[in-house]
């Protein structure tokens, strides 16, 4: 974990805890965070979602867990975040470039999943959580055990969930002028299952702390067959089961080993996060739909990608004097990718990167803080050439396609950030952050050349791409009183060499692939703002208002960038009160969110009409003598409105999003002394 | 608040400056496929394996055309190790100007599996705008493909039945080598729901005939719904050479 109090003071930050995430009852971890202004998610149906911060996604958002950057082929539009949402207790989201502390990819922002707090000495907690969601008959459970004795702590969690095909409020969808059926308003083959577990143990001593953790996320999920290639009526016929996971689909395994240790020093502490992670991704598809030449019909592995990443982060926090602090650190990462399957998309590669940074925080007075820092990075990539061999039915080679070159290069770049935070009279706080960030091109951007099943287009990299560089200015205006807080956070970024997929004026020679989308660079303007207000009318009743807008412009062709989230505003009243007797507390809340139409789109990208969504929740916390229980009921899309999500993979099909969905979550938290006797009920 | 205004104003100024300096309107108008005929027909066509398909294509754009692509692949999902293989073809043609007409020909391989195929025609302009594609169906015929010898009812014309009637089919499907699968479906044309969906696998190695009396023998009668409606009957036969024969007809229940 990076202790960034000083930086926090000038960057725009959101934070959430376990209660917030559970209350959202989202399909995924990212869906649970979407309520926050400036945060959205890019989805493939239900179950796959990736983070979007102020319209930035893919390799521009870093997700860290226990200080280790998650590496899971995040360049892919259909590659979701491999995080168990029930295992997240605390998360902070840095909106805007944060390359200084987090490295090259943190150009758009950071989702920083912090380690859970350690249980009080001599206590053990056991939590059982069960949930059901009506729309896709999802059910699951998450079990947690954690404890501390003699300052040795452990924690173990297992989460299981299964869901069926999800329902949309429509009987048909229109693609390219052809009307196609949605049988029983149910999207065929969108079922999935997840099995996640995590284990960690550690020790706290006067010299510091040591923790070792292991997590595994595994998911199997189907894709709506109409989304891969041109949807045809015959491929959309029901398959007799709403719970089977058929082809096309994907299977993901993500394993992480992490070691964190902090050692106290004479004038501060030395902090270390070491990690090794393995990401196995298999994308399954029927070979005949995409094959040039003959492919064994039994072979359904279109694309397999194995990614191995080792990371070392080490930093020294030094308290120079009462007013001046410093963080100096190094980051090192080694990534190795191997691919297989009957299709080719990205080459095998080895990528190593290292960075050195230093950040000073000067608390001039109790009401004014200044930060300044710099960073230098060196990164090298070695990509292996690839020839795709085409066979006939007798396994004779009939053609060899050259897809990707041997390529190796190094990139050097630097970052700079400076910020200030002033607390003025009358509860005003002003924050200013300016900086320069960069991002080196990913292996996909350099070497991709093939049809990507998830996005179903021919994506092509370019080895001549240069690192993208962003110049940023962020402002925060905060006004607060005993009863309210108002935050206005505008941002302005200018990028040179901004990397994106541009549809070109040439068709792919590959089957069913349309035009070639090439990774291209352009100068880009990226701006916008969030407005957030919270007002406590009385102690029990509070009202939240949030609005956000992102504006971007490709300065080479004067078109907007693709996948720009639409502007939105929301109102959320919540009434929370104490109950009587066994009813400890209860709440009732509502979320009303309006999304504006997104008419600013890139070439060949569809515009998306605006829509209004209603959600409501109610929850009770029961407290009995020996045990307690929490029950939550939430309804999403209560009016069952048929709407299109501009960031959804299924948007191009004009496919409406998930219909009305009721969730029920029950949690039983128990607390014991480590002698085995139950001591109390906990929250 | 006074202190924040001088900081906020440059932000707004920069945004306004960049957003107001548009040089010209970018070309985002899609090209348009004006017409497509295959063997002189502007609808679905039938052609034998080994024959030549003659296309006539007309495309338009408001500025400059760039490419036309004809993508052909099978629209059946069964594959076997067999001498015949499903045909797949991707051909790209360069075009220019605001209007272009082209007349390419493509030869169907002699060993193409019989059955339904999709032809997808698309066009892009010089800026990379992609047209709405045009989809056509070609039925490829092949010597030795399963032959439907249906004696009743006459599947050459649309059928009329009363609600709840049984659709009796008489006749056989004949094959020179080995039939592998018969698939019969009846789809509600309004809701697209299948009201009848039966697959008959023929695991033997010399199944040269399948008799529709099997529907009665196996108690798989095609009983029409009790409500009125319009339905689509589809009978598909597959042989071990990966040839498909499909016969389709509308069934009106009123």
């Amino acid at each position: 974990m990076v202790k960034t109090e000083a930086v926090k003071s000038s960057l725009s930050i959101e934070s959430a805890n376990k209660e917030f995430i559970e209350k959202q009852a989202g399909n995924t971890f990212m869906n649970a965070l979407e309520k926050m202004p400036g945060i959205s998610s890019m989805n493939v149906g239900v179950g796959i979602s990736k983070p979007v911060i102020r319209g930035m996604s893919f390799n521009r958002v870093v997700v860290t867990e226990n200080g280790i950057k998650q590496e899971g082929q995040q360049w892919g539009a259909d590659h979701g975040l491999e995080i168990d949402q029930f295992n997240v207790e605390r998360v902070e989201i840095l909106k805007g470039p944060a390359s200084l502390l987090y490295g090259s990819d943190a150009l758009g922002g950071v989702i920083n999943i912090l380690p859970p707090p350690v249980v009080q000495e001599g206590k053990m907690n056991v939590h059982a959580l069960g949930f059901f969601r009506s729309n896709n008959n999802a059910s699951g459970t998450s079990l947690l055990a954690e404890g501390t004795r003699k300052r040795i702590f452990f924690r173990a969690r297992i989460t299981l969930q299964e869901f069926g095909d999800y329902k949309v409020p429509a009987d048909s969808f229109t693609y390219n002028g052809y009307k196609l059926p949605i049988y029983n308003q149910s999207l065929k083959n969108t079922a999935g299952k997840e099995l996640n577990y995590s284990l960690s143990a550690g020790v706290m001593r006067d010299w510091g702390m040591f923790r070792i953790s292991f997590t595994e996320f595994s998911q199997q999920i189907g894709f709506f067959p109409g989304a891969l290639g041109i949807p045809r009526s015959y491929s959309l016929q029901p398959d007799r089961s709403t719970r089977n996971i058929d082809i096309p689909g994907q299977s993901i395994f993500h394993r992480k080993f992490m070691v964190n240790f902090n050692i106290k020093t004479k004038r501060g502490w030395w902090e270390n996060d070491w990690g090794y992670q393995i990401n196995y991704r298999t994308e399954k598809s029927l070979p005949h739909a995409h094959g040039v030449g003959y492919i064994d019909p039994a072979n359904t592995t279109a694309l397999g990608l194995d990614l191995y990443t080792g990371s070392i982060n080490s930093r020294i926090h030094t308290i120079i004097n009462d007013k001046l602090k410093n963080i100096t650190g190094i980051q090192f990462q080694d990534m190795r990718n191997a691919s297989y399957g009957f299709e080719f998309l990205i080459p095998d590669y080895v990528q190593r990167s290292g960075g050195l940074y230093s950040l000073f925080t000067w608390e001039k007075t109790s009401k004014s803080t200044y930060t300044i820092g710099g960073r230098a990075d060196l990164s090298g990539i070695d990509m292996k050439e690839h020839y795709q061999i085409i066979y006939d039915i007798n396994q004779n080679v009939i053609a060899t396609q050259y897809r990707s070159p041997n390529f190796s290069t190094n990139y050097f770049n630097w970052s700079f950030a400076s910020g200030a935070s002033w607390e003025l009279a009358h509860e005003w706080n002003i924050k200013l952050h300016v900086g320069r960030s960069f991002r080196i091109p990913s292996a996909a951007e350099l070497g991709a050349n093939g049809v990507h099943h998830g996005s179903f287009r021919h994506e092509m990299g370019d080895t001549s791409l240069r690192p993208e560089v962003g110049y940023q200015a962020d402002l925060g205006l905060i006004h607060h009183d005993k009863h309210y807080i108002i935050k206005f956070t505008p941002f302005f970024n200018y990028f040179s060499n901004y990397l994106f997929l541009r549809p070109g004026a040439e068709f792919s020679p590959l089957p069913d692939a349309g035009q070639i989308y090439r990774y291209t660079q352009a100068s880009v303007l990226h701006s916008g703002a969030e407005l957030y207000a919270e007002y406590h009318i009385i102690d029990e009743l509070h009202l939240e208002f949030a609005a956000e807008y992102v504006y971007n412009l490709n300065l080479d062709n004067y078109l907007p960038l693709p996948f720009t989230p639409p502007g939105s505003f929301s109102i959320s009243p919540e009434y929370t009160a104490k109950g009587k007797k066994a009813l400890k507390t209860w709440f009732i809340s509502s979320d009303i969110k309006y999304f504006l139409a997104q008419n600013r789109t890139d070439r060949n990208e569809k515009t998306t009409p605006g829509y209004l969504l209603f959600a409501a929740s109610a929850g009770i916390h029961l407290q009995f003598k020996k045990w307690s229980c929490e029950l939550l009921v939430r309804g999403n899309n209560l009016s069952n409105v048929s709407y299109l999500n501009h960031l959804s993979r299924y948007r191009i099909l004009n496919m409406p999003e998930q219909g009305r969905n009721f969730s029920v979550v029950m949690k039983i938290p128990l607390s014991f002394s480590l002698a085995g006797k139950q001591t109390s009920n906990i929250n | 608040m006074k202190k924040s205004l001088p900081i906020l104003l440059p932000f707004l100024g920069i945004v306004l400056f960049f957003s107001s300096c548009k040089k010209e309107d970018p070309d985002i108008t899609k090209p348009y496929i004006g017409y497509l005929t295959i063997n002189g027909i502007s609808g679905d066509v039938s052609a034998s394996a080994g024959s030549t398909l003659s296309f006539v294509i007309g495309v338009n754009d408001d500025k400059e055309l760039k490419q036309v692509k004809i993508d052909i692949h099978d629209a059946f999902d069964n594959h076997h190790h067999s001498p015949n293989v499903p045909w797949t073809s991707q051909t790209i043609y360069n075009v220019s100007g605001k209007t272009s007409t082209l007349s390419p020909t493509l030869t169907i391989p002699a060993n193409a599996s019989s059955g339904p195929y999709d032809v997808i025609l698309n066009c892009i302009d010089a800026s990379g705008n992609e047209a709405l594609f045009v989809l056509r169906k070609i039925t490829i015929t092949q010597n030795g493909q399963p032959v439907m010898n249906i004696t009743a009812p006459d599947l050459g014309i649309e059928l009329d039945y009363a609600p709840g009637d049984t659709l009796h089919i008489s006749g056989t499907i004949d094959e020179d080598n080995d039939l592998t699968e018969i698939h019969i479906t009846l789809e509600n044309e309004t809701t697209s729901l299948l009201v009848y969906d039966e697959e008959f696998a023929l695991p033997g190695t010399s199944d040269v005939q399948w008799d529709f009396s099997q529907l009665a023998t196996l108690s798989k009668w095609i009983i029409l719904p009790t409500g009125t409606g319009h339905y689509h009957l589809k009978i598909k036969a597959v042989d071990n050479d990966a040839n498909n024969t499909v016969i389709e007809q509308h069934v009106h229940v009123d």
Side-chain angles (χ1 to χ4, degrees):
Chain A
M1 169 178 78
V2 182
K3 293 180 175 64
T4 56
E5 292 87 356
V7 176
K8 281 178 192 173
S9 68
S10 64
L11 258 184
S12 189
I13 287 199
E14 302 285 345
S15 60
N17 58 16
K18 181 179 62 172
E19 285 71 31
F20 175 89
I21 293 166
E22 284 172 3
K23 242 181 191 176
Q24 304 311 309
N27 288 314
T28 62
F29 171 57
M30 276 319 300
N31 292 150
L33 297 185
E34 277 183 294
K35 191 184 171 186
M36 300 178 177
I39 316 295
S40 26
S41 68
M42 193 176 279
N43 303 318
V44 186
V46 167
I48 300 173
S49 62
K50 61 197 292 111
V52 181
I53 299 178
R54 291 177 168 170
M56 298 273 179
S57 188
F58 304 96
N59 281 68
R60 286 187 193 91
V61 170
V62 164
V63 178
T64 65
E65 187 176 14
N66 294 1
I68 302 296
K69 180 184 169 202
Q70 181 100 352
E71 288 289 354
Q73 312 280 12
Q74 55 268 35
W75 46 267
D78 60 315
H79 302 176
L81 181 60
E82 309 89 346
I83 294 283
D84 174 9
Q85 65 164 316
F86 297 102
N87 198 38
V88 178
E89 301 253 342
R90 299 184 296 168
V91 59
E92 60 176 28
I93 297 140
L94 279 71
K95 296 190 283 190
S99 303
L100 184 75
L101 291 175
Y102 292 89
S104 159
D105 287 0
L107 202 69
V110 178
I111 293 178
N112 192 6
I113 300 167
L114 304 170
V118 172
V119 178
Q120 194 185 335
E121 176 65 37
K123 288 273 179 69
M124 180 175 165
N125 297 332
V126 178
H127 285 198
L129 181 145
F131 70 88
F132 173 78
R133 295 187 191 117
S134 65
N135 180 280
N136 57 351
N137 288 317
S139 60
T141 184
S142 188
L143 303 171
L144 166 77
E146 57 182 357
T148 306
R149 193 177 181 197
K150 293 183 180 170
R151 296 201 287 170
I152 295 171
F153 57 91
F154 79 95
R155 180 181 161 90
R157 182 184 283 280
I158 182 165
T159 302
L160 277 147
Q161 69 164 311
E162 264 198 285
F163 48 93
D165 296 344
Y166 73 94
K167 285 186 179 280
V168 296
D171 293 304
S172 63
F173 65 103
T174 307
Y175 180 70
N176 194 71
Y178 298 91
K179 190 178 174 187
L180 292 150
I182 306 169
Y183 297 93
N184 306 319
Q185 300 195 339
S186 176
L187 281 201
K188 177 183 175 181
N189 196 42
T190 53
K193 59 182 177 185
E194 252 181 60
L195 170 61
N196 310 320
Y197 58 90
S198 69
L199 299 164
S200 68
V203 58
M204 290 176 296
R205 290 290 182 264
D206 295 339
W207 49 262
M209 181 281 295
F210 178 88
R211 179 179 50 240
I212 187 160
S213 321
F214 172 72
T215 65
E216 182 177 288
F217 174 96
S218 67
Q219 184 187 57
Q220 284 79 49
I221 192 162
F223 276 154
F224 179 58
L228 270 71
I230 291 166
R232 299 300 314 276
S233 183
Y234 62 82
S235 66
L236 308 180
Q237 304 278 357
D239 54 4
R240 294 196 174 97
S241 169
T242 59
R243 296 196 83 82
N244 64 330
I245 304 164
D246 208 341
I247 292 161
Q250 58 175 261
S251 115
I252 315 294
F253 288 91
H254 194 102
R255 294 191 181 112
K256 261 188 308 197
F257 305 87
M258 293 166 284
V259 175
N260 306 91
F261 60 95
N262 299 339
I263 295 169
K264 281 182 189 164
T265 60
K266 210 172 176 183
R267 300 171 73 175
W269 66 98
W270 178 37
E271 201 172 14
N272 287 276
D273 307 318
W274 297 3
Y276 185 73
Q277 55 193 310
I278 302 167
N279 183 281
Y280 296 128
R281 155 171 289 275
T282 316
E283 302 189 357
K284 292 190 173 291
S285 190
L286 286 172
H288 81 277
H290 321 292
V292 175
Y294 178 79
I295 300 161
D296 180 354
N299 178 7
T300 58
T301 301
L303 182 66
L305 296 170
D306 294 349
L307 180 65
Y308 306 89
T309 307
S311 324
I312 292 175
N313 305 325
S314 184
R315 56 199 163 268
I316 293 171
H317 297 249
T318 311
I319 299 161
I320 299 166
N321 59 41
D322 284 354
K323 294 190 172 178
L324 194 61
K325 291 175 194 164
N326 172 263
I327 305 173
T328 298
I330 55 159
Q331 270 189 325
F332 177 77
Q333 185 172 277
D334 178 290
M335 288 206 301
R336 285 152 201 272
N337 183 70
S339 63
Y340 56 96
F342 62 76
E343 291 227 318
F344 171 77
L345 182 58
I346 66 164
D348 294 355
Y349 68 87
V350 176
Q351 185 174 5
R352 290 192 187 94
S353 54
L356 171 69
Y357 60 87
S358 191
L359 175 75
F360 288 90
T361 305
W362 180 40
E363 287 179 41
K364 188 184 172 195
T365 66
S366 63
K367 295 198 169 180
S368 59
T369 307
Y370 299 89
T371 57
I372 189 162
R375 177 180 177 117
D377 278 79
L378 183 63
S379 177
I381 187 163
D382 268 307
M383 285 179 355
K384 216 167 125 186
E385 68 182 357
H386 181 85
Y387 289 89
Q388 188 78 345
I389 298 167
I390 313 295
Y391 298 95
D392 70 5
I393 194 166
N394 299 315
Q395 294 296 300
N396 299 314
V397 176
I398 51 172
T400 306
Q401 294 175 342
Y402 180 64
R403 289 289 193 84
S404 186
N406 266 326
F407 176 71
S408 75
T409 193
N410 291 313
Y411 301 99
F412 171 78
N413 222 305
W414 58 276
S415 307
F416 160 82
S418 174
S421 174
W422 300 282
E423 277 186 61
L424 308 179
H426 309 298
E427 280 76 35
W428 278 95
N429 181 200
I430 298 175
K431 296 174 175 189
L432 178 67
H433 187 91
V434 292
R436 178 196 194 267
S437 292
F438 76 96
R439 183 176 76 86
I440 61 160
S442 69
E445 289 160 334
L446 295 166
N449 186 5
V451 177
H452 187 205
H453 283 263
S455 53
F456 219 83
R457 55 191 181 191
H458 188 155
E459 296 177 357
M460 195 178 276
D462 179 354
T463 51
S464 68
L465 296 173
R466 303 302 309 152
E468 60 182 35
V469 176
Y471 301 91
Q472 68 183 100
D474 280 70
L475 186 66
L477 300 176
I478 299 151
H479 184 49
H480 56 94
D481 194 340
K482 201 174 164 187
H483 300 290
Y484 69 85
I485 181 165
I486 301 171
K487 284 197 278 187
F488 178 56
T489 47
F491 56 92
F492 176 82
N493 300 316
Y494 168 79
F495 293 96
S496 60
N497 296 333
Y498 187 89
L499 259 159
F500 69 108
L501 274 170
R502 183 161 77 186
E506 64 185 311
F507 273 118
S508 165
L510 301 175
D512 218 7
Q515 65 199 125
I516 294 175
Y517 279 71
R518 284 183 186 276
Y519 281 104
T520 319
Q521 297 192 291
S523 298
V524 158
L525 172 74
H526 174 256
S527 183
E530 296 102 28
L531 178 65
Y532 174 82
E534 191 179 339
Y535 180 48
H536 280 262
I537 301 162
I538 50 173
D539 280 353
E540 291 83 6
L541 179 64
H542 85 271
L543 200 61
E544 270 178 50
F545 173 83
E548 60 184 271
Y549 184 74
V550 174
Y551 175 89
N552 55 37
L553 192 67
N554 176 338
L555 295 171
D556 282 11
N557 62 10
Y558 290 91
L559 284 171
L561 296 174
F563 297 118
T564 302
S568 69
F569 51 90
S570 65
I571 296 174
S572 311
E574 179 171 321
Y575 189 90
T576 310
K578 285 181 180 164
K580 288 177 183 171
K581 294 184 179 172
L583 182 62
K584 192 178 172 194
T585 57
W586 61 276
F587 81 92
I588 182 161
S589 71
S590 169
D591 291 307
I592 302 152
K593 188 163 186 177
Y594 184 72
F595 291 84
L596 301 168
Q598 184 51 283
N599 295 318
R600 299 189 69 256
T601 53
D602 193 13
R603 176 169 283 123
N604 294 331
E605 190 185 25
K606 290 172 193 291
T607 60
T608 302
Y611 51 95
L612 180 66
L613 293 180
F614 291 99
S617 315
I620 53 172
H621 184 175
L622 299 172
Q623 176 85 58
F624 301 98
K625 274 187 181 172
K626 291 274 181 186
W627 64 285
S628 72
C629 168
E630 289 169 41
L631 190 67
L632 171 81
V633 181
R634 183 175 171 91
N636 282 320
N637 191 7
L638 283 173
S639 53
N640 207 27
V641 64
S642 178
Y643 69 98
L644 300 169
N645 178 349
H646 192 69
L647 300 185
S648 166
R649 165 67 184 85
Y650 295 160
R651 166 67 192 94
I652 56 167
L653 299 175
N654 294 312
M655 177 63 73
E657 291 297 300
Q658 193 175 29
R660 187 182 294 123
N661 190 10
F662 288 104
S663 305
V664 180
V665 183
M666 193 169 94
K667 196 166 89 174
I668 300 177
L670 300 172
S671 183
F672 301 89
S673 78
L674 272 177
K677 188 184 167 191
Q678 186 179 331
T679 55
S680 65
N681 316 102
I682 55 160
N683 295 325
Chain B
M1 189 64 197
K2 274 180 193 168
K3 196 165 182 174
S4 65
L5 273 175
I7 300 168
L8 189 59
L9 283 173
F11 268 82
L12 297 171
I14 296 165
V15 172
L16 286 172
F17 170 75
F18 276 101
S19 51
S20 63
C21 63
K22 292 186 182 183
K23 279 185 291 193
E24 56 184 273
D25 283 340
D27 172 22
I28 50 168
T29 307
K30 290 178 182 298
Y32 177 70
I33 298 169
Y35 54 89
L36 162 68
T37 64
I38 306 170
N39 293 347
I41 299 165
S42 58
D44 297 341
V45 294
S46 181
S48 58
S51 71
T52 297
L53 297 171
S54 299
F55 294 81
V56 180
I57 299 162
V59 286
N60 312 296
D61 187 56
D62 64 329
K63 291 206 166 67
E64 179 70 21
L65 290 159
K66 190 65 194 286
Q67 285 187 338
V68 165
K69 181 179 181 183
I70 301 174
D71 192 331
I72 301 175
H73 54 257
D74 69 89
F76 42 89
D77 55 1
N78 46 301
H79 288 270
H80 304 272
H81 291 268
S82 59
N84 292 337
V85 287
W87 180 36
T88 171
S89 162
Q90 290 77 39
T91 326
I92 296 165
Y93 306 93
N94 288 319
V95 285
S96 59
K98 291 185 176 179
T99 301
S100 183
T101 304
L102 57 165
S103 311
T105 56
L106 291 173
T107 301
I108 306 171
N111 67 344
S113 301
S114 70
Y117 285 74
D118 287 339
V119 177
I120 294 147
L121 176 73
N122 211 340
C123 174
I124 40 177
D125 70 12
S127 296
N129 295 302
E130 191 172 35
L132 292 178
F133 63 82
V134 170
L135 177 68
R136 291 285 164 76
K137 200 165 98 177
I138 311 181
T139 303
I140 294 179
T141 57
Q142 174 70 263
N143 290 334
Q145 74 179 88
V147 179
M148 304 244 183
N149 292 309
I150 295 171
T151 52
D154 179 1
L155 292 182
I157 55 166
E158 298 191 0
L159 306 173
D160 280 302
Y161 281 89
D165 276 0
T166 301
L167 201 167
H168 289 288
I169 302 175
S170 306
T172 56
I173 299 172
D174 298 288
E175 159 63 24
D176 64 343
N177 198 342
D178 179 37
L179 283 167
T180 57
E181 179 198 323
I182 312 294
H183 192 182
I184 305 172
T185 56
L186 189 68
E187 180 184 322
N188 184 320
E189 289 179 352
T190 314
T191 64
S192 296
L193 287 172
L194 293 177
V195 294
Y196 183 89
D197 180 13
E198 290 295 344
E199 265 184 68
F200 304 93
L202 288 84
T205 52
S206 55
D207 294 299
V208 293
Q209 190 175 71
W210 189 82
D211 198 310
F212 281 91
S213 63
Q214 290 284 321
L215 296 179
T217 313
L218 300 168
S219 304
K220 302 284 188 187
W221 292 282
I222 307 170
I223 298 167
L224 295 165
T226 49
T228 59
H230 302 283
Y231 298 88
H232 189 86
L233 175 71
K234 185 175 171 182
I235 304 167
K236 182 173 91 167
V238 188
D239 71 10
N240 68 332
D241 291 332
N243 287 318
N244 290 249
T245 300
V246 178
I247 190 163
E248 296 175 78
Q249 193 48 271
H250 299 286
V251 181
H252 306 289
V253 179
D254 42 31

